[in-house]
Amino acid sequence: MSLEQLELDPYFLAKIYTQPIIPGKSTPVAAEQKTAPKVKYLGENQKNIALFIQNENEAYLNEELFNLLTNILNACKLGMQDVSLINVSHYPQLSFPDWQTAVKTEKAVVFGTAPAQLGLNDIPMYQLVTVNGTTLLLSDELQLIGTDKVLKAKLWAGLKQLLGI
């Protein structure tokens, strides 16, 4: 094979020649896309609904709180296959936009995590807000919701709005 017949992929050529070949002429090089961080979550996220929790002591939730969460999901006609359960305490460096890059999210519920911890401004509790195309509901932690009927009613009202129930 002669050099006259050699064909190089334009992508590789662009990577090899980041500086202009002809002096004085410069073309902007495309900025590299930010890669999505690798994160672990529980569930299959089939409906792109993220549930953010903060639990430093366990991987996700203890049995009592997990049962409460599954009861809430059942009331919303959802299951673990529909959502992603994310423990933000395992990834303290990630902001909400990072989470949106890492996990496909159209709707999200944040349980017991301060908005500032996710890099968000003050967000009112139990009211829907949209952040970068994701509808977000900020809630108290599950342990409080399990013991307080008023908070449970506020969460239910917010979930009905969020999920269109």
Side-chain angles (χ1 to χ4, degrees):
M1 181 166 153
S2 73
L3 289 176
E4 293 172 355
Q5 296 172 335
L6 182 68
E7 289 184 29
L8 294 175
D9 186 353
Y11 174 78
F12 292 118
L13 285 174
K15 287 291 184 184
I16 292 171
Y17 296 105
T18 56
Q19 297 295 320
I21 297 173
I22 302 171
K25 290 190 175 185
S26 65
T27 57
V29 177
E32 295 211 13
Q33 293 258 339
K34 188 176 178 183
T35 58
K38 298 284 185 198
V39 296
K40 292 183 180 180
Y41 57 85
L42 194 61
E44 296 175 22
N45 200 32
Q46 291 178 358
K47 294 192 177 177
N48 303 324
I49 302 170
L51 307 176
F52 294 93
I53 59 165
Q54 183 173 357
N55 188 350
E56 293 88 10
N57 302 325
E58 300 182 46
Y60 294 100
L61 296 170
N62 63 32
E63 188 175 347
E64 176 187 344
L65 293 178
F66 189 76
N67 287 337
L68 173 63
L69 180 64
T70 54
N71 288 338
I72 292 169
L73 291 175
N74 288 337
C76 297
K77 296 182 175 34
L78 295 171
M80 286 307 295
Q81 72 276 7
D82 300 317
V83 300
S84 56
L85 180 62
I86 301 165
N87 190 349
V88 297
S89 64
H90 297 309
Y91 307 96
Q93 74 283 6
L94 295 183
S95 65
F96 191 72
D98 294 331
W99 285 111
Q100 289 175 299
T101 304
V103 181
K104 188 166 171 38
T105 307
E106 293 173 7
K107 299 174 184 174
V109 182
V110 178
F111 292 103
T113 302
Q117 187 173 345
L118 294 172
L120 300 171
N121 296 330
D122 285 337
I123 295 175
M125 299 283 277
Y126 301 104
Q127 293 182 19
L128 298 183
V129 294
T130 302
V131 178
N132 300 331
T134 298
T135 307
L136 182 68
L137 177 67
L138 193 65
S139 168
D140 288 299
E141 62 186 72
L142 281 169
Q143 194 162 9
L144 284 174
I145 291 168
T147 59
D148 189 330
K149 290 187 178 190
V150 174
L151 294 180
K152 198 180 284 188
K154 286 182 177 181
L155 175 62
W156 178 243
L159 287 172
K160 287 195 300 188
Q161 278 187 300
L162 179 69
L163 303 170
I165 300 173

